[in-house]
Amino acid sequence: MFDVIIVGAGVIGSSIARNLSKYKLSILVLEKENDVGDGASGANSAIIHSGYDPKPGTLKAEMNVKGNPLLYKACSELDVEALRIGSITLANNDEEIEVLKDLAKRSEENGVEYQLLDHDELLKIEPNITKQVKMGLLAPTAGIINPFELVVALMENAIDNGVELKLNQEVIDIKKNDDSFTVFTKDNNYQAKYIINASGVYSDKVSEMVNPKFFTVNPRRGEYFVLDHFDNNFIKHTLFNVPTSKGKGVLVSPTTHFNYLVGPSSDFINDKDSVATVKEILDEVKFNAKRLVDNVPYQYQIRVFSGVRAVSDNNDFIIEETSKRFINVAGIQSPGLASSQAIALKVEDIFIDSYQELFGEVGKNENFNPRRRPLIRLNKKTIEERRELIKKDPKLGRIICRCEQISEGEVLDVLNRSCPPHTIKGVKKRCRPGFGKCQGGFCEPLVMKILQDYYGLDKTEIDYGKKGTYITLCKTKNE
Ligand SMILES: Cc1cc2nc3c(=O)[nH]c(=O)nc-3n(C[C@H](O)[C@H](O)[C@H](O)COP(=O)(O)OP(=O)(O)OC[C@H]3O[C@@H](n4cnc5c(N)ncnc54)[C@H](O)[C@@H]3O)c2cc1C
């Protein structure tokens, strides 16, 4: 019997698992996919929002404002890339200036630092923005993060502190017993005193396994362009359109590796799992991005992708003990990433209060360590530092990803951690081979070979990402 089962290993489930690992508790995380962070947490804008945008008084506003500094702290403990570059929301006409003034008022109500800048001030700090710009709202505490690294690091640290993770375990039913739950997956069942539902876009369905229906999660897709890194100074802040009823609007932003993101769109869809991209929608993204930057250099485009937001009916986060020992953490749409550490703290409080009332004092995990072993990050080292490292481990001298300069030794390092990858995409998320201009054209076969050797598998058994997304179907020639 586990003390608690967390359903879903996105940024929310992983953050909660890490927070609860500070206590003497047996914690199991069940994830339906073959890796952590493959839902919304791995397909978003990667912005650490400052918190000026959510409506004052909502849970979103409270969690975002509290979560912003907590996320920077978690990143420094876990060696996750995050840069506090600030965001600027741009207004190009009088109507948009009015919205910006309302946002300034919201910033004050939410207690978020901001500054209003005029046309000249804006062009001085961001020379490549549209010359149409009239006013901008600078939020200096906003930042950018590597979201893939974040989820892996949170879960790796949680596992190092005693949490158990089971992948490929889709929760299909939950039975409430007198003082426990039985959680059913296709091939197993598990017992727990508490359930924490952090299943993202499926959180309404998982809640309904135990509770009467009281909310719906509607999937709203966002589509993006990714540009290669061509100039680290092209845009220095995250640039936003003024928000509309559809959300925060399109942004143009550097990533932590100085690629550029352009997007997202915002459209309700019927299929919770659909991460397709549509030409007409991407054309609309381009049109809206023009209101931020006149000449986005799309000749550097290397990829398009999409992610699905989990939008609840009341458009706010749902964080509560809905029924005895069943905690819903649902409808966590944007700014869920930025709010993740505040959400985990709130869930920790709800859980510990409730648990102690029923089962007595929970002890502290004396061995809890908030840090994880830093990644190698060879491409950020000086030549001398690289030489020293390669002397100790020659595999660090074998570059397998030419675009991003990633070595075989770094792939082996992530394989030897407590939340290792099993797929090519899993390796890519952890140490970046395949993120560059060739999009895996050169490095994928090499990553595949490393995975084969490490796990003792046949080529045909290696998936690109989700189960069944194999790359080779059968052997050819003399193999
Ligand atoms: C387009 C887009 C842009 C965004 N931009 C930002 C941004 O810039 N900044 C920001 O702060 N936020 C942003 N967000 C929001 C943020 O990404 C989400 O709020 C956050 O990732 C939600 O995390 P989660 O763990 O709740 O959900 P998810 O990451 O979706 O995780 C849920 C997990 O549950 C698993 N699961 C589902 N059902 C089951 C089941 N039955 N059994 C077992 N496992 C199950 C899923 O496989 C998944 O891994 C954006 C979101 C999108 C889609």
Side-chain angles (χ1 to χ4, degrees):
M1 164 91 77
F2 289 92
D3 285 311
V4 55
I5 287 179
I6 299 169
V7 186
V11 70
I12 300 302
S14 305
S15 301
I16 295 168
R18 176 178 183 243
N19 268 35
L20 293 185
S21 72
K22 291 186 287 189
Y23 300 90
K24 270 191 191 145
L25 292 167
S26 53
I27 304 161
L28 173 66
V29 181
L30 296 176
E31 168 54 53
K32 74 178 166 79
E33 301 298 339
N34 56 8
D35 198 2
V36 301
D38 271 356
S41 304
N44 54 61
S45 307
I47 309 301
I48 306 178
H49 293 288
S50 59
Y52 69 79
D53 174 51
K55 199 167 160 205
T58 59
L59 255 183
K60 269 195 208 168
E62 183 192 340
M63 294 295 107
N64 189 169
V65 175
K66 279 190 192 153
N68 172 291
L70 292 176
L71 186 52
Y72 287 112
K73 179 169 174 274
C75 288
S76 86
E77 289 172 342
L78 296 170
D79 182 41
V80 171
E81 294 163 324
L83 297 169
R84 194 174 179 278
I85 59 170
S87 69
I88 312 178
T89 306
L90 301 181
N92 296 345
N93 54 44
D94 293 345
E95 208 181 308
E96 290 182 352
I97 288 178
E98 286 314 305
V99 181
L100 217 55
K101 286 183 180 162
D102 281 346
L103 287 179
K105 231 193 276 161
R106 274 195 187 186
S107 308
E108 273 163 33
E109 284 179 63
N110 288 344
V112 175
E113 200 183 328
Y114 76 97
Q115 209 184 329
L116 286 174
L117 303 175
D118 65 21
H119 172 91
D120 293 345
E121 290 168 319
L122 287 164
L123 280 159
K124 211 160 146 190
I125 57 171
E126 285 289 5
N128 288 316
I129 59 172
T130 174
K131 307 296 174 277
Q132 316 286 317
V133 72
K134 290 200 163 172
M135 193 187 265
L137 184 144
L138 169 70
T141 56
I144 49 178
I145 190 166
N146 180 333
F148 318 104
E149 219 172 82
L150 175 67
V151 184
V152 171
L154 287 161
M155 187 53 79
E156 185 180 317
N157 186 241
I159 294 171
D160 288 343
N161 286 308
V163 168
E164 207 177 315
L165 166 69
K166 288 192 186 287
L167 299 170
N168 301 307
Q169 292 293 298
E170 178 176 3
V171 173
I172 51 174
D173 200 7
I174 305 175
K175 186 167 160 264
K176 190 164 188 171
N177 313 315
D178 286 346
D179 50 9
S180 69
F181 294 93
T182 308
V183 177
F184 297 89
T185 64
K186 255 190 212 136
D187 43 7
N188 274 305
N189 63 72
Y190 306 91
Q191 312 287 321
K193 293 178 187 161
Y194 274 76
I195 302 291
I196 297 178
N197 171 20
S199 56
V201 85
Y202 282 99
S203 50
D204 51 349
K205 302 291 169 216
V206 172
S207 176
E208 284 162 33
M209 291 176 191
V210 172
N211 306 292
K213 183 181 175 76
F214 74 101
F215 69 95
T216 306
V217 170
N218 302 299
R220 189 156 72 182
R221 192 166 65 204
E223 303 183 21
Y224 296 85
F225 294 95
V226 185
L227 309 188
D228 196 11
H229 26 74
F230 60 96
D231 173 1
N232 288 4
N233 288 315
F234 177 63
I235 295 293
K236 297 187 268 305
H237 301 76
T238 298
L239 305 177
F240 288 111
N241 286 151
V242 289
T244 64
S245 59
K246 281 176 97 182
K248 293 190 186 66
V250 161
L251 58 79
V252 176
S253 179
T255 70
T256 48
H257 284 261
F258 296 98
N259 293 84
Y260 289 93
L261 273 186
V262 183
S265 53
S266 186
D267 297 285
F268 282 108
I269 52 172
N270 295 322
D271 178 356
K272 288 181 188 260
D273 291 319
S274 171
V275 285
T277 53
V278 178
K279 184 184 175 301
E280 289 71 27
I281 289 182
L282 286 169
D283 285 346
E284 205 182 302
V285 166
K286 275 189 178 170
F287 178 80
N288 286 324
K290 248 185 178 317
R291 290 164 48 219
L292 301 170
V293 177
D294 287 327
N295 295 306
V296 174
Y298 290 104
Q299 68 269 30
Y300 294 109
Q301 177 194 325
I302 54 174
R303 192 179 185 83
V304 291
F305 74 94
S306 74
V308 181
R309 306 170 183 88
V311 182
S312 66
D313 322 84
N314 72 354
N315 209 20
D316 202 0
F317 298 160
I318 298 166
I319 309 170
E320 58 173 40
E321 188 171 357
T322 299
S323 57
K324 221 170 182 189
R325 295 177 285 104
F326 188 105
I327 300 173
N328 266 317
V329 195
I332 310 296
Q333 58 164 314
S334 187
L337 206 59
S339 309
S340 56
Q341 302 315 295
I343 294 174
L345 209 56
K346 186 172 173 73
V347 174
E348 178 186 335
D349 287 346
I350 294 173
F351 175 85
I352 295 296
D353 281 354
S354 169
Y355 189 97
Q356 297 202 140
E357 207 179 298
L358 292 176
F359 301 101
E361 180 118 4
V362 189
K364 286 265 154 72
N365 173 2
E366 306 295 344
N367 300 320
F368 177 78
N369 177 0
R371 300 191 174 271
R372 73 160 179 163
R373 180 162 56 85
L375 290 173
I376 299 170
R377 303 189 197 283
L378 204 66
N379 59 13
K380 294 207 168 149
K381 305 263 189 271
T382 63
I383 293 289
E384 288 70 31
E385 286 169 334
R386 288 188 205 192
R387 278 201 193 113
E388 282 311 304
L389 284 169
I390 293 166
K391 258 191 231 160
K392 286 185 209 141
D393 179 0
K395 289 196 167 140
L396 290 171
R398 188 170 170 246
I399 296 297
I400 56 147
C401 169
R402 305 182 210 173
C403 305
E404 300 295 305
Q405 295 287 296
I406 311 292
S407 65
E408 180 180 3
E410 288 167 278
V411 177
L412 290 169
D413 173 60
V414 296
L415 280 164
N416 281 306
R417 288 168 179 262
S418 46
C419 183
H422 300 273
T423 62
I424 292 174
K425 186 178 168 195
V427 172
K428 176 181 173 183
K429 277 161 50 179
R430 284 161 178 82
C431 61
R432 294 186 55 78
F435 258 106
K437 201 184 304 195
C438 87
Q439 286 291 293
F442 288 98
C443 57
E444 251 169 36
L446 302 174
V447 172
M448 199 162 159
K449 179 79 177 75
I450 297 172
L451 284 169
Q452 258 178 272
D453 292 347
Y454 186 83
Y455 287 115
L457 292 172
D458 188 80
K459 236 183 219 173
T460 54
E461 293 173 292
I462 307 287
D463 283 320
Y464 172 76
K466 278 178 191 278
K467 236 180 160 42
T469 55
Y470 51 80
I471 291 183
T472 55
L473 182 59
C474 57
K475 292 187 180 179
T476 58
K477 296 181 186 162
N478 300 323
E479 278 187 308

Coordinates of all heavy atoms in Angstrom, one line a residue, residues 54-65 316-320 332 339 343 346:
P54 N -2.6 37.2 -15.3 CA -3.8 36.6 -14.8 C -4.7 37.6 -14.0 O -4.2 38.4 -13.3 CB -3.3 35.5 -13.9 CG -1.9 35.3 -14.3 CD -1.4 36.6 -14.8
K55 N -6.0 37.4 -14.1 CA -7.0 38.2 -13.4 C -6.7 38.2 -11.9 O -6.7 37.1 -11.3 CB -8.4 37.7 -13.7 CG -9.5 38.6 -13.5 CD -10.7 38.1 -14.2 CE -11.9 38.8 -13.5 NZ -13.1 38.0 -13.6
P56 N -6.6 39.4 -11.3 CA -6.3 39.4 -9.8 C -7.4 38.6 -9.1 O -8.6 38.7 -9.5 CB -6.4 40.9 -9.5 CG -6.0 41.6 -10.8 CD -6.6 40.7 -11.9
G57 N -7.0 37.9 -8.1 CA -8.0 37.2 -7.2 C -8.2 35.8 -7.7 O -8.8 35.0 -7.0
T58 N -7.7 35.4 -8.9 CA -7.8 34.0 -9.3 C -6.6 33.2 -8.8 O -5.6 33.7 -8.3 CB -7.7 33.9 -10.9 OG1 -6.5 34.5 -11.3 CG2 -8.9 34.7 -11.5
L59 N -6.8 31.9 -8.8 CA -5.7 31.0 -8.4 C -4.5 31.1 -9.3 O -3.4 31.0 -8.9 CB -6.2 29.5 -8.4 CG -6.5 28.8 -7.1 CD1 -6.9 27.4 -7.4 CD2 -5.4 28.9 -6.1
K60 N -4.8 31.3 -10.6 CA -3.8 31.5 -11.6 C -2.9 32.6 -11.2 O -1.6 32.5 -11.2 CB -4.4 31.8 -12.9 CG -4.7 30.7 -13.8 CD -4.9 31.3 -15.2 CE -5.8 30.5 -16.1 NZ -6.2 31.2 -17.3
A61 N -3.5 33.8 -10.8 CA -2.7 34.9 -10.4 C -1.8 34.6 -9.2 O -0.6 34.9 -9.2 CB -3.6 36.1 -10.2
E62 N -2.5 34.1 -8.2 CA -1.8 33.8 -6.9 C -0.6 32.8 -7.2 O 0.5 33.0 -6.7 CB -2.8 33.2 -5.9 CG -2.2 32.9 -4.6 CD -3.1 32.0 -3.7 OE1 -4.3 31.9 -3.9 OE2 -2.5 31.4 -2.7
M63 N -0.9 31.7 -7.9 CA 0.2 30.7 -8.1 C 1.3 31.2 -9.0 O 2.5 30.9 -8.8 CB -0.4 29.4 -8.8 CG -1.4 28.7 -7.9 SD -0.7 28.0 -6.4 CE -1.3 29.1 -5.2
N64 N 1.0 32.0 -10.0 CA 2.0 32.6 -10.9 C 2.9 33.5 -10.2 O 4.2 33.4 -10.3 CB 1.3 33.3 -12.1 CG 2.3 33.7 -13.2 OD1 1.9 34.1 -14.3 ND2 3.6 33.6 -13.0
V65 N 2.3 34.4 -9.4 CA 3.2 35.4 -8.7 C 4.1 34.7 -7.7 O 5.3 35.0 -7.6 CB 2.3 36.5 -8.1 CG1 3.1 37.5 -7.3 CG2 1.6 37.3 -9.2
D316 N -9.9 28.7 -14.7 CA -8.9 28.8 -13.6 C -8.3 27.5 -13.2 O -8.9 26.4 -13.6 CB -9.6 29.5 -12.4 CG -8.5 30.2 -11.5 OD1 -7.3 30.1 -11.8 OD2 -9.0 30.8 -10.5
F317 N -7.3 27.5 -12.4 CA -6.7 26.2 -11.9 C -7.7 25.6 -10.9 O -8.4 26.4 -10.2 CB -5.4 26.4 -11.2 CG -4.3 27.0 -12.0 CD1 -3.2 27.6 -11.4 CD2 -4.3 26.8 -13.4 CE1 -2.1 28.1 -12.2 CE2 -3.2 27.3 -14.2 CZ -2.1 28.0 -13.5
I318 N -7.8 24.3 -10.8 CA -8.6 23.6 -9.8 C -7.6 22.8 -8.9 O -6.9 21.9 -9.4 CB -9.6 22.6 -10.4 CG1 -10.5 23.4 -11.3 CG2 -10.3 21.8 -9.4 CD1 -11.4 22.5 -12.3
I319 N -7.4 23.3 -7.6 CA -6.5 22.6 -6.7 C -7.2 22.5 -5.4 O -7.4 23.4 -4.7 CB -5.2 23.5 -6.5 CG1 -4.6 24.0 -7.9 CG2 -4.1 22.8 -5.7 CD1 -3.5 25.0 -7.8
E320 N -7.6 21.2 -5.1 CA -8.5 21.0 -3.9 C -8.6 19.5 -3.6 O -8.4 18.7 -4.5 CB -9.9 21.6 -4.2 CG -10.5 20.9 -5.4 CD -12.0 21.3 -5.6 OE1 -12.3 22.4 -5.4 OE2 -12.8 20.4 -6.0
I332 N -4.7 22.8 -15.4 CA -3.5 23.6 -15.3 C -3.0 24.0 -16.6 O -2.1 23.4 -17.2 CB -2.4 22.8 -14.4 CG1 -3.0 22.2 -13.1 CG2 -1.2 23.7 -14.2 CD1 -3.5 23.3 -12.1
S339 N 3.9 28.5 -12.6 CA 3.3 28.4 -11.3 C 3.6 27.1 -10.6 O 3.2 26.8 -9.5 CB 1.7 28.4 -11.5 OG 1.3 29.5 -12.3
I343 N 2.2 25.7 -7.0 CA 1.1 24.7 -7.0 C 1.6 23.5 -6.2 O 0.8 23.0 -5.4 CB 0.8 24.2 -8.5 CG1 0.2 25.4 -9.3 CG2 -0.1 23.0 -8.5 CD1 -0.1 25.1 -10.8
K346 N 1.3 24.3 -2.6 CA -0.1 24.3 -2.1 C -0.6 22.9 -1.9 O -1.3 22.6 -0.9 CB -1.0 25.1 -3.2 CG -2.4 25.3 -2.7 CD -3.2 26.2 -3.7 CE -4.6 26.3 -3.3 NZ -4.9 27.0 -2.1

